[in-house]
Amino acid sequence: MAMLWKFMRVAKYSKTALSPKVKVRGFPTHSRHSSSKSVPSDFAASAPCSNTVELLGKSYPQDDYSNVTEKILSKVGKNLHNRKHHPLWLIKEQVKEHFYKHYLGRRGTPLFSVYDRLSPVVTVQQNFDSLLIPQNHASRRKEDNYYLNRDHMLRAHTSAHQWDLIHSGLDAFLAVGDVYRRDTIDNTHYPVFHQMEGVRLFSCHELFSSIKDREGLQLFEQGHRTAHKQECHTMEAVRLVEFNLKQVLTKLMTHIFGDGLQVRWVDCYFPFTHPSFEMEINFQGEWMEVLGCGVMEQQLVNSAGAEDKIGWAFGLGLERLAMILYNIPDIRLFWSEDERFLKQFIGPHIWQKIKFQPLSRYPPLINDISFWLPSETYSQNDFYDLVRTIGGDLVEKVVLLDEFAHPKTKKVSHCYRIVYRHPERTLTQDEVHHIHQAIEESAVRELGVEGRF
């Protein structure tokens, strides 16, 4: 488990992010039905032998796409969602129990199987191509993802396992795991978080069995089918699947948050679902987005081998649900080893009512940094990643305060405010000064900016 540091050692940041010295070892496991046993992991440095990284028992050569940092690799294999009594484990177990209890197969066994030990290292084909995400789609950018190389990456969503699980013959499953994205820095965003993916497929008989006068109802329009694409879904089939999906998720949220919960649906766009929606719940007078979902694209289902079926998929963030349910104010706390945090979630059963009691609120230390951007492409996420690599979990927030374009030279300047705060102790101005200075020097050296320090 990664510690929220009790001392700070300033590390160098490299543009390729991962030095050839790093060797990461771990033990991936796979299971049809999940258990709470944690997956062991071991992280160690070894003498450089080649420009490769060993992760979870496999070697990956680095190339011009490699951008994963040592800080991020240190999180791989922690599997907070499988750590008993951790708040993310509690949320996962609550969702599991709900699906196990309310959705049963013909023989009275759970309809949904659960996979919570799938490897977070996936191919680019799994993460994007299998989900019909176009080659030029913005979600593929290096600025937003952690790549081991051009062919392999740390999964950006648990949807990366959809195709494989459907192809294995499954019609109903939940996939849970850690996902990795380069993102902004604040109390609700972290480069590693946890998702749960849900998928349900229906045959024609399963979908229309409860409909009176179902004679003539079909899943697909009359048309031409190829090896890669089904015919279009009929309007009746899409509406029924959409209704079932919204009903399932509304019941789930009500089960977690209680009766009287207000829910609304917002139209959105996902490449691999049509139509697609985001669910928002009203919690303490504020509307919050908690998950995305939709009717699965027929080409995806067809290519995975379920040619004569239609289905839905959803993805929800475990941190988002836990922060709302337990009133946890800062996403960094999920990685804490502080017993004052962890002991609050130990109880006799997973449905125990828990309200997080804040730890002592230590004062923040605030420093600004300004620089001229290089003429080449500059990404804010590169800067955020640099700050995370050097400052670690001592950085609470980074905000772009000002953007200025010089009227004559046309050069652009950014000014960022960095808020430092340790969740477990008071930081000193001296240690923050050293960290901030290292960020300034690394920004110049690695990002090519011109400092205005």
Side-chain angles (χ1 to χ4, degrees):
M1 180 68 61
M3 291 190 68
L4 290 172
W5 299 346
K6 296 190 179 298
F7 65 91
M8 187 63 186
R9 181 171 60 87
V10 177
K12 290 185 178 180
Y13 178 92
S14 66
K15 194 155 190 175
T16 56
L18 179 63
S19 78
K21 294 183 179 180
V22 174
K23 182 177 182 181
V24 183
R25 298 193 299 270
F27 307 90
T29 62
H30 308 270
S31 65
R32 179 171 177 83
H33 291 280
S34 64
S35 69
S36 60
K37 185 179 178 181
S38 297
V39 180
S41 61
D42 174 32
F43 303 93
S46 64
C49 55
S50 63
N51 289 324
T52 63
V53 57
E54 289 189 21
L55 182 59
L56 302 177
K58 295 184 179 180
S59 297
Y60 301 93
Q62 298 182 64
D63 58 26
D64 60 327
Y65 248 63
S66 304
N67 68 349
V68 65
T69 65
E70 296 180 35
K71 180 72 175 176
I72 296 300
L73 285 174
S74 72
K75 307 290 187 182
V76 177
K78 299 299 184 183
N79 296 324
L80 301 184
H81 60 287
N82 287 334
R83 180 174 179 177
K84 194 171 184 179
H85 299 302
H86 192 280
L88 298 180
W89 175 85
L90 288 174
I91 290 291
K92 182 196 73 172
E93 291 300 309
Q94 289 177 22
V95 176
K96 273 176 53 180
E97 184 181 277
H98 174 77
F99 274 88
Y100 280 178
K101 181 178 179 180
H102 292 89
Y103 303 98
L104 303 176
R106 296 177 182 177
R107 299 179 181 178
T109 56
L111 180 66
F112 285 81
S113 52
V114 177
Y115 296 81
D116 60 3
R117 299 180 187 277
L118 298 170
S119 173
V121 179
V122 297
T123 64
V124 172
Q125 193 278 335
Q126 287 174 301
N127 200 80
F128 296 121
D129 298 336
S130 71
L131 299 172
L132 313 178
I133 297 175
Q135 289 288 335
N136 60 351
H137 197 271
S139 64
R140 292 177 178 256
R141 298 184 309 172
K142 285 176 62 177
E143 290 84 353
D144 298 323
N145 299 285
Y146 287 105
Y147 285 92
L148 294 173
N149 52 42
R150 282 184 171 270
D151 298 320
H152 296 86
M153 62 188 297
L154 298 177
R155 62 187 170 208
H157 42 218
T158 45
S159 304
H161 304 292
Q162 265 188 27
W163 193 95
D164 292 321
L165 293 173
I166 294 173
H167 190 66
S168 71
L170 296 177
D171 286 344
F173 58 84
L174 303 174
V176 194
D178 44 331
V179 299
Y180 300 77
R181 294 182 194 171
R182 305 176 78 197
D183 211 337
T184 54
I185 301 176
D186 58 36
N187 68 327
T188 62
H189 291 85
Y190 200 78
V192 190
F193 56 102
H194 297 75
Q195 276 190 342
M196 175 178 284
E197 190 83 9
V199 169
R200 174 79 193 276
L201 300 181
F202 301 87
S203 65
C204 186
H205 172 74
E206 290 170 327
L207 187 63
F208 297 123
S209 61
S210 61
I211 304 298
K212 293 181 180 180
D213 303 322
R214 60 180 179 269
E215 188 69 28
L217 293 178
Q218 300 293 328
L219 296 184
F220 306 102
E221 300 281 4
Q222 294 296 321
H224 178 65
R225 174 177 296 201
T226 69
H228 304 289
K229 189 174 178 64
Q230 300 167 320
E231 303 90 335
C232 291
H233 295 139
T234 62
M235 184 61 68
E236 295 86 355
V238 170
R239 292 305 179 202
L240 273 176
V241 172
E242 178 186 330
F243 175 78
N244 180 268
L245 170 62
K246 290 182 176 180
Q247 189 179 49
V248 166
L249 293 176
T250 300
K251 287 181 178 179
L252 173 62
M253 291 298 115
T254 301
H255 198 62
I256 292 175
F257 293 102
D259 293 330
L261 182 73
Q262 291 179 281
V263 173
R264 71 183 184 189
W265 301 92
V266 180
D267 291 346
C268 63
Y269 168 74
F270 298 118
F272 48 93
T273 56
H274 73 99
S276 49
F277 315 91
E278 288 178 345
M279 173 193 262
E280 296 181 348
I281 66 171
N282 192 297
F283 192 77
Q284 298 180 346
E286 181 180 352
W287 286 100
M288 303 180 182
E289 184 265 316
V290 292
L291 57 82
C293 60
V295 180
M296 297 181 71
E297 166 64 49
Q298 63 263 35
Q299 183 177 343
L300 189 161
V301 176
N302 188 73
S303 66
E307 296 90 349
D308 296 312
K309 295 182 179 180
I310 185 174
W312 51 247
F314 71 80
L316 58 85
L318 299 186
E319 278 87 351
R320 174 64 57 85
L321 294 183
M323 292 178 80
I324 296 172
L325 183 62
Y326 302 126
N327 199 27
I328 298 174
D330 193 325
I331 196 170
R332 294 177 300 165
L333 286 167
F334 290 105
W335 296 90
S336 176
E337 287 286 358
D338 192 327
E339 289 299 315
R340 293 174 300 165
F341 174 75
L342 297 172
K343 283 184 177 179
Q344 295 188 40
F345 302 95
I346 297 176
H349 55 81
I350 60 175
W351 296 103
Q352 181 180 355
K353 297 294 184 183
I354 299 171
K355 185 175 181 180
F356 172 68
Q357 300 300 315
L359 311 179
S360 299
R361 191 66 169 167
Y362 297 99
L365 292 176
I366 299 173
N367 286 262
D368 295 346
I369 179 172
S370 299
F371 46 75
W372 297 104
L373 305 188
S375 56
E376 308 88 65
T377 301
Y378 167 82
S379 166
Q380 289 188 44
N381 280 348
D382 285 341
F383 177 67
Y384 295 147
D385 221 30
L386 182 149
V387 173
R388 283 197 188 278
T389 299
I390 296 175
D393 288 340
L394 300 184
V395 178
E396 179 179 78
K397 183 187 298 184
V398 178
V399 180
L400 178 60
L401 282 185
D402 182 60
E403 185 171 356
F404 168 73
H406 195 284
K408 292 184 178 180
T409 64
K410 306 301 180 184
K411 293 176 66 176
V412 177
S413 171
H414 278 188
C415 176
Y416 295 90
R417 171 155 294 172
I418 304 178
V419 180
Y420 300 88
R421 190 199 312 256
H422 200 299
E424 300 166 7
R425 65 177 176 85
T426 299
L427 292 173
T428 66
Q429 191 65 253
D430 184 60
E431 65 181 316
V432 168
H433 170 73
H434 288 298
I435 298 167
H436 197 75
Q437 187 177 34
I439 291 173
E440 292 175 339
E441 294 172 354
S442 292
V444 172
R445 183 175 62 250
E446 306 299 341
L447 302 183
V449 305
E450 181 182 341
R452 301 180 68 188
F453 316 138

